[in-house]
Each structure stands twice: as structure tokens, then as C-alpha cells.
Amino acid sequence: MKDGHLLTLAMETSCDETAAAVLRDGRTALSNVVSSQIDVHRAFGGVVPEIASRCHLERINAVADRALADAGIGFGDVDLIGVTQGPGLVGALLIGLATAKAYALALGKPIVGVHHIKAHICAAYIEHASLAPPFLALVVSGGHTDLVRVSGYNAYTVLGRTRDDAAGEAFDKAARALGLPYPGGPAIDDAAQNGDARAVAFKRALLEKDSLDFSFSGVKTGVLNYLNTERQAGRAVKVADVAASFRESVVEVLVAKTLRAAEMHGETQVVMAGGVAANSRLRAAMDEACRAKGLRLYRPSPALCTDNAAMVGTAAYFKYAEEGADDLDLDAFPNLPL
Ligand code: KG4
Ligand code: ZN
């Protein structure tokens, strides 16, 4: 506690970012440190779980120290420990949990385990002081693509989700097929800047008329088939055009389904969350579509869309306020449902 404010030290280790942050009263990030392992995993073309766990173990204490130093506080000022409990890679999650438990025990402070996807949604509270439920959230990450109705700070209902690949996974797989580096999302976003989005007509899977589910395996296969056909015919592939066309097909579906969900459920506020919400075209297209429909859109900065610990601190704060602390035997759940 400092000057009457509740201070949360939060940690995130569910995948390939080792992150820690300090939050003041849940919505103000005093620090937000992310140590990315992207360079370590790039050689393998994707995240290697065992290597991720080892990197987290080597880095987490220094990252937490840095988060406290950046916030200008010490361990003695911390009131609450927040940590991602799942979903994610089990070994990676366990490093964050073990560290968080050790701090909680040593400091005699409460601990709260947080759902990674809820945390992604909570990222929007940090930069938007006026945001309050109810709202509709589009969560687009490497492992998830969900439309979620948020009716309270701890009340989440999934309205639709992907039936196969997550949007981020589709970006990563399409990028790999195009010979672009891991992670594929930012690589495709960059390559697409100079491309023609109408060059290749990839399918838009809108599914049944009232469905709020997604399917991205078709467009991913579409990219693979297109590349095979062109290469077999001896034609040179314009990577920028394919990247722009692929990106556009995914963005169109994400925007269309979000508007459909808002209309079906009478939502007036829309939140974008998760790594793919950093996509420049998705951000622009969603903004345009929400304006046209009179919907209020909340887009966290790209650094708060991709994995970070500030979002975990915010989610921990709201969970603690309504549900209290967890026990120290709190476990990791790689498939934790929303
Ligand atoms: O939320 P996140 O950081 O981690 C998970 O919880 O999965 O999301 C990672 C995903 C990756 O698939 C990555 O390629 C994608 O987000 N991503 C992007 C962009 N930045 C990250 N996808 C499209 N455009 C981007 N600019
Ligand atoms: Zn994430």
C-alpha cells in the first residue's frame, strides 16, 4: 500500500513472453515489463515449450525486480500478487505460479490466479478510464478467437468461437507458407502494407446465417493451394499481394462477426483484445465499421494487445475485489475454460 492505493505485482508466463507489471488500483499501470523469447524460438519456427519454461525460469525474478524498480516501489509496498493460471503451456505457467506463490508466501500477501483470456479483455480498462461493462469483446490471439459478452467485471459469456484454427494461428501458418519469419502475424501485417488486397480472392467463412462461430482453416488451406498452383505453373508469387489478400479475408470475417454479435445482443460498446488486435488493418477496419454503426470501440495500444502482465494485474484486481484471494495450492490449468 502506498499513499492509500492498492498495489498489485502481476506476472505472465503462459507462452513465450516473460512479463511482470505493477498496477495501482487495478487500472493504472505503473510499470509493464516484457522480456520476449521470440529470438530464442525463431530458429525453430515456433514456440518450443521446454525452452520456453527454461527461459521463464531464468528471467522471471529479474523481470519482476525491474517491474518494481520501474514503478518506484519495493516488495514491501506490494498488496496483492496476480498471476496467469491458464490456459497456456503447462510448464511455462508453472514457473509463473511457483514464483508468484513464493512472493505471496514470503511477503504474507494474497495471491489471485487469473484466466489469460479474461486478462486480455481487461487490458482495455487500463487506457480507457470510462470503460465499464456491459460490452462485447472480440478476443483474437494465437490460441483463441472468441466473441465474449462481458456483463460484469467478472462475468463472461462466450457467444461464439473458432471451430478450428485461431486467427493468430492462421496468420502464423500462412506466414510460414509464404516464407515469412515467426511470429507470422506482424510479418504478414508488414508484408501486406505494399500489397494489393484484391489480388487473390480467398474465401470468407461466414458460416450459418446466425452463427457467431469462426473457421479459419479454409483460408489457411486456400493460401497453401494458391501457392502450390502458382509454383507448379512456374509463376512468381507476389508475397505482398498474397499477404494483403489473406489479411483482408481474415479481417473482413472478424469485423462482420463482431458487428453481427453486437446487433444480435444489443451491445453498444466493443472491445478488441489479444495479439491479433495489434493488426493494423483490423484496427482500421473495425474502427470504420463501428463508426458506421454508431458503436463505441475500445482498442488497447498494440503493446497491451500482445501478451503482457499489466492486463493480468487488472484482471487480478477485479477478481480479488469480488471473489477474494486464492489459496496457495492454486494450480496451473493448460485448458482452463472461460
Ligand atoms: O495474445 P498473444 O500475444 O498470445 C497468445 O495469447 O496467443 O497473440 C499472439 C498471436 C500470434 O499468433 C501472432 O502472430 C499474432 O498474435 N499477432 C498478430 C499481430 N501481432 C501479433 N497477428 C496479426 N497482426 C499483427 N500485427
Ligand atoms: Zn495471449
Side-chain angles (χ1 to χ4, degrees):
M1 193 72 76
K2 215 175 177 189
D3 308 325
H5 296 289
L6 187 130
L7 298 176
T8 303
L9 171 63
M11 277 159 285
E12 153 64 40
T13 63
S14 68
C15 190
D16 60 345
E17 320 281 4
T18 312
V22 174
L23 277 286
R24 188 178 65 206
D25 298 331
R27 293 180 81 132
T28 304
L30 298 181
S31 63
N32 192 15
V33 181
V34 180
S35 171
S36 176
Q37 302 175 11
I38 283 176
D39 291 341
V40 178
H41 297 287
R42 188 171 282 133
F44 305 96
V47 180
V48 183
E50 180 59 25
I51 295 177
S53 307
R54 281 169 186 272
C55 282
H56 287 310
L57 186 58
E58 283 163 14
R59 299 176 183 193
I60 186 68
N61 297 103
V63 168
D65 287 347
R66 176 90 254 157
L68 292 173
D70 285 0
I73 67 163
F75 275 111
D77 300 311
V78 173
D79 302 298
L80 178 66
I81 307 284
V83 62
T84 304
Q85 192 181 8
L89 303 170
V90 69
L93 290 165
L94 284 170
I95 305 298
L97 273 170
T99 309
K101 287 182 199 179
Y103 287 155
L105 189 65
L107 299 171
K109 297 296 177 185
I111 186 170
V112 170
V114 164
H115 191 290
H116 182 77
I117 296 303
K118 292 179 185 172
H120 269 302
I121 294 172
C122 286
Y125 294 125
I126 296 170
E127 290 170 328
H128 303 287
S130 65
L131 175 63
F135 57 81
L136 173 72
L138 171 69
V139 184
V140 271
S141 72
H144 290 77
T145 299
D146 299 328
L147 276 163
V148 181
R149 183 176 146 73
V150 183
S151 51
Y153 289 98
N154 294 288
Y156 300 84
T157 312
V158 177
L159 304 176
R161 55 159 52 109
T162 184
R163 294 179 185 171
D164 40 57
D165 291 353
E169 196 180 349
F171 268 95
D172 294 337
K173 289 176 177 170
R176 188 193 276 246
L178 282 166
L180 295 170
Y182 163 85
I188 289 204
D189 208 10
D190 286 347
Q193 304 304 346
N194 307 311
D196 176 4
R198 288 157 308 174
V200 192
F202 293 122
K203 281 214 178 70
R204 275 76 169 146
L206 288 165
L207 307 177
E208 306 81 34
K209 198 172 145 286
D210 292 333
S211 173
L212 295 177
D213 284 346
F214 299 91
S215 169
F216 292 111
S217 66
V219 63
K220 172 198 67 187
T221 312
V223 171
L224 294 172
N225 289 344
Y226 173 81
L227 293 175
N228 278 339
T229 308
E230 295 303 293
R231 282 171 189 152
Q232 272 170 13
R235 288 188 287 263
V237 170
K238 284 194 182 151
V239 172
D241 285 355
V242 182
S245 301
F246 166 80
R247 181 179 69 169
E248 197 62 24
S249 68
V250 173
V251 165
E252 264 186 44
V253 171
L254 292 173
V255 171
K257 293 272 172 161
T258 303
L259 293 193
R260 187 186 282 179
E263 192 174 345
M264 283 170 68
H265 292 269
E267 301 291 349
T268 57
Q269 308 193 97
V270 174
V271 161
M272 290 168 66
V276 183
N279 186 270
S280 62
R281 178 67 194 131
L282 178 61
R283 295 173 78 83
M286 193 70 86
D287 185 47
E288 200 179 310
C290 285
R291 274 174 204 276
K293 292 280 179 193
L295 301 170
R296 178 105 200 251
L297 177 65
Y298 299 87
R299 292 176 300 185
S301 307
L304 286 173
C305 291
T306 47
D307 285 349
N308 66 87
M311 66 184 196
V312 175
T314 302
Y317 173 85
F318 285 123
K319 187 177 163 195
Y320 182 64
E322 283 185 11
E323 298 170 13
D326 284 310
D327 293 330
L328 273 175
D329 62 0
L330 154 95
D331 215 345
F333 292 98
N335 299 309
L336 190 63
L338 201 78

